[in-house]
Amino acid sequence: MNMDKVCINTIRGLAIDQVQKANSGHPGTPLDLAPATYALWNNILNYDPANPLWPARDRFVLSGGHACSLLYAMIHLSGIKEVTRQGKVENKPALTLEDLSQFRQLNSKTPGHPEYLHTTGIETTTGPLAQGIATSVGMAIAQEWFAARYNRPEFPLFDYHVYAFCGDGDLMEGISYEAASLAGHLKLGNLIWVYDRNRITIEGNINIAFTENVEKRFEAAGWKIYHVKDGNDIDDFQNKINQARQNKDMPSFIVIDSVIGYGSPNKAGKSVAHGEPLGVEEVKATKKNLGLPEDKDFFVPDGVMDHFKANIGKRGAAAYQKWHTLFADYKVKYPELGQEIEDILNHRLPKGWDKDIPIFAPDAKGVASRASSGKVLNAIAKNVPWLIGGSADLAPSNKSNLDFEGAGVFQNPAYGGTYDGRNFHFGVREHAMGAIVNGMALSGLRSYAAGFFIFSDYMKNPIRLSALMHLPVIYIFTHDSIGVGEDGPTHQPVEQLVHFRATPNLVVFRPADANEVVEAWKYAMQENSKPVILALSRQNLPTIDRHQYASAEGLKKGAYVIADCEGKPDLILMATGSEVGLIMEAYQVLTKSGKKIRVVSMPSWELFEEQSKSYRDQVLPPDITARVAVEQGSPIGWDRYAGTTGAIIAMRGFGASAPYSDLQKKFGFTLEAVLQAAQEQLTR
């Protein structure tokens, strides 16, 4: 065999050995995709294994994360260096053969699906099918934005490509259509998807469920189509990749016809090769077929590592050094832009980023938190050039549009925009929007996505992945309650707060007034390792007099005493968002009647739980059991704070279609209802 075949079969051997030793995993796709993966990585990919975070590197996404034994083999053979969570490159391999042998084991670097930050060389967490290819669209968008803002004729700092490998399952998922449609509209010539068409899923041949003409679908969406008839023909594949790289006017879609489980004498082309180990004897037979020693596991022949080092290693090192020198000269000629790039790379906010944030004066009428959020967003975005985002066709309603001079629209010039625009039109594509902003964040942009809170249901998977990957994406969700009114229960979020509060590493804010909105945005911008959700109102919220009551800065602790009494309270009223104004009214009435009342605003349960027990007990003293909690959402979870004997005024159904004032009466969100619950607590 020539060295290309030796390397390809080494990859195959390492992949099936990982799965067999773990007695768990997916060997079929690594066997059939090894040639294309090898050809791309070793011969084409612009990537320096010694500097895995180099910002101008090509990106590689394995959307079918179940095939990760293939990716782990590539990381090892390519010699990628370990990078710490702090971004420091260590002089040791990211994955050793021992790491590969611990595939799918506890505390290993080789989990069952690729995890960003967990394993160096993984550009994004994948596993839920099609999330990877949708995220790659965000990466391609980021490259276009960086190039448009920072590149100069003599300084092509950002000219990389984004490659994503996908399979039949990815393209069955609806998010794949959303993402492909938007990528085609934007004419992302830097984006190349490689479709491994092996025609097999867990249940059998795809003909049982998937018979559409995929090429026609992508052609209709504005993609350039290429076809590789034999998955083992790396010359044809490389030729198609190089053609795609020259195609600057539209994304490229390369279809590879392959045989799942290639090389396996008894399982190739069958569904049994997809999601279960080949078996000890079949592994030996497969290795014999591939020209590998049958009695050796995790075997790397002499010369293979040197071959990768002489290709991707040498090519990547030269490209990195060229870029490093170019950037040094760039900073001399364009110091302000160079500073921006360095701030992005180091996850820093620019100096003065918060200088224009408004302070809202007391106002009994107040303003909807969606409106105050829009003002704060615009004030911040003026001073943070890489804060970019948009909405799923709802920007006028959720106030997420950047309207200051020069904000612009991210759009292909053919449609009247520029690639350095700050406003993004996702169209009615919430699911893809969630994944795309993840791709933007993975590339260094401070991305945000906006929509109605009820439609967060379409985005739960990518938001979960934001949290899992520690990405500081900001989600602006408005129309956060039955305040939607006449739109009815289809548009009135009830259970959404519960879901997101239960999601690890995610911070949810439901601000009570405009100044809590300010503090929520300040927190979100300074948070570098967690996504943040802003749940905002459609209806006006009174702006609380902060000279008379506590500062909104208490928001940073999740919950705080906003109004209090002398001495020990008789009763604690607690709420979030629009209901804080309601319990403040009750506070006034009860205080005038001689009762000792404490009011607690609880905009973020997650941050409150992070506080010390002494602080939490200070806000909610355990010996004060007379409590009333009010929120226009599900009651689930409120017993933690209201206690087993406290009253909870919440939604216990889906809502109804009616004017908001009628809904408040129907569901008990009135002053009278709060006073009645308070009286019952005081007299029990």
Side-chain angles (χ1 to χ4, degrees), residues 185-199:
H185 165 74
L186 293 171
K187 301 181 182 295
L188 299 176
N190 58 352
L191 180 64
I192 300 172
W193 287 4
V194 176
Y195 169 31
D196 173 35
R197 184 163 59 187
N198 60 43
R199 300 182 181 274

Side-chain angles (χ1 to χ4, degrees), residues 538-559:
R538 176 199 189 197
Q539 71 274 25
N540 287 346
L541 306 182
T543 306
I544 297 166
D545 186 345
R546 298 295 175 166
H547 299 291
Q548 182 177 356
Y549 300 107
S551 168
E553 290 183 358
L555 171 137
K556 69 182 67 172
K557 292 188 175 181

Side-chain angles (χ1 to χ4, degrees), residues 363-369 511-514 537 539-543 577-579:
D363 184 352
K365 179 182 178 182
V367 60
S369 52
D513 74 345
S537 74
Q539 71 274 25
N540 287 346
L541 306 182
T543 306
S578 52
E579 290 71 72

Side-chain angles (χ1 to χ4, degrees), residues 183 196 299 325 345 451 602 606:
D196 173 35
F299 175 67
T325 302
L345 298 181
M602 303 190 69
E606 301 78 30

Side-chain angles (χ1 to χ4, degrees), residues 7-34 37 66-74 76-77 97 100-101 103-104 276-278 283 286-287 290 292 297-300:
C7 290
I8 290 167
N9 289 336
T10 299
I11 295 165
R12 287 168 163 156
L14 291 176
I16 62 176
D17 280 344
Q18 291 175 66
V19 174
Q20 190 59 48
K21 186 172 187 298
N23 197 29
S24 174
H26 301 72
T29 298
L31 284 171
D32 78 60
L33 257 185
T37 309
H66 57 275
C68 58
S69 62
L70 168 68
L71 185 49
Y72 297 148
M74 294 306 303
H76 170 69
L77 294 173
L97 286 177
L100 268 57
S101 75
F103 180 58
R104 289 189 166 218
E276 60 186 59
L278 296 178
V283 166
T286 302
K287 288 181 178 178
L290 298 175
L292 297 170
D297 296 334
F298 299 98
F299 175 67
V300 179

